[in-house]
Amino acid sequence: MATAAAQKHIQLALGLPQRLRTFLARYPPSSILPEGANPEEFQTAYQKVAPNPFQSTKHPVTGKWHEPKYSLRRQAELVKLARKHNVEELLPFTVKGTEYKLAKRVELGLRVKGTGVGQKVKGHKYERQLGAKMEKRRQAMLDMPELIREWKKVGKRNWTKFPK
């Protein structure tokens, strides 16, 4: 008889949609194997043909590339379904996965030139000089009380002769 923990996992698995259950039965993740088990021994017939059904495979004899078992559209549907049921980490690596998409977003930015990591937008001259201009203006505002005191010492008539 199965233990209480195993029963709980079985009930959770039965709560998944049929499409997701079928996929996980064909391509079970190595994370659900027993402790110390060799993943090679527990491979299904589907996994022997294509270890990752989301990636192209090269035929060992002919050297020709075979398309993935699941198209990009079907991959996206499976990932959305798995994400909805909080089991996305059980799926094999795919370019439709959340982790991959977040990494690409960080690397490329918002697909607007200059928003990625280490990129700059060329921009107009006034846009490029805006930072330095605003810093100079901020510094002038900080120095203003001292400048006003100096002007009051010199007087109204001699302020044009004040050294810059």
Side-chain angles (χ1 to χ4, degrees):
M1 190 74 189
T3 64
Q7 280 297 98
K8 181 182 166 198
H9 290 303
I10 290 170
Q11 289 303 318
L12 287 173
L14 291 175
L16 295 175
Q18 182 62 41
R19 192 164 180 197
L20 209 48
R21 274 190 293 173
T22 302
F23 179 84
L24 291 173
R26 289 180 179 178
Y27 301 95
S30 57
S31 60
I32 63 171
L33 293 178
E35 289 286 325
N38 184 6
E40 300 276 327
E41 295 175 13
F42 287 93
Q43 279 189 338
T44 63
Y46 291 99
Q47 285 177 315
K48 289 177 182 170
V49 173
N52 185 346
F54 297 152
Q55 292 181 334
S56 301
T57 53
K58 192 173 185 180
H59 191 279
V61 178
T62 62
K64 290 189 176 189
W65 284 94
H66 294 283
E67 295 292 321
K69 300 294 177 198
Y70 288 81
S71 68
L72 291 173
R73 180 184 57 82
R74 289 174 63 204
Q75 288 177 37
E77 289 171 356
L78 270 173
V79 167
K80 286 177 192 172
L81 202 56
R83 189 179 314 128
K84 181 179 174 187
H85 293 280
N86 299 319
V87 292
E88 185 180 356
E89 64 276 357
L90 297 178
L91 297 178
F93 172 78
T94 174
V95 295
K96 297 296 182 178
T98 305
E99 278 186 30
Y100 181 80
K101 288 192 175 201
L102 287 175
K104 285 303 249 185
R105 174 59 61 95
V106 168
E107 179 187 335
L108 298 175
L110 301 172
R111 296 285 184 177
V112 176
K113 186 176 178 183
T115 58
V117 177
Q119 296 179 354
K120 281 187 180 175
V121 180
K122 181 178 181 232
H124 293 278
K125 188 173 182 179
Y126 69 89
E127 292 171 328
R128 293 193 307 264
Q129 295 174 347
L130 186 63
K133 182 177 172 183
M134 294 307 284
E135 178 58 31
K136 192 174 175 183
R137 188 177 293 175
R138 188 182 74 79
Q139 192 59 44
M141 291 302 289
L142 291 174
D143 296 341
M144 192 59 68
E146 181 63 32
L147 195 56
I148 291 172
R149 264 184 255 138
E150 289 293 325
W151 284 345
K152 286 185 178 181
K153 278 185 200 174
V154 171
K156 186 175 181 183
R157 293 183 194 254
N158 297 327
W159 73 272
T160 56
K161 297 176 184 170
F162 189 77
K164 292 184 182 177

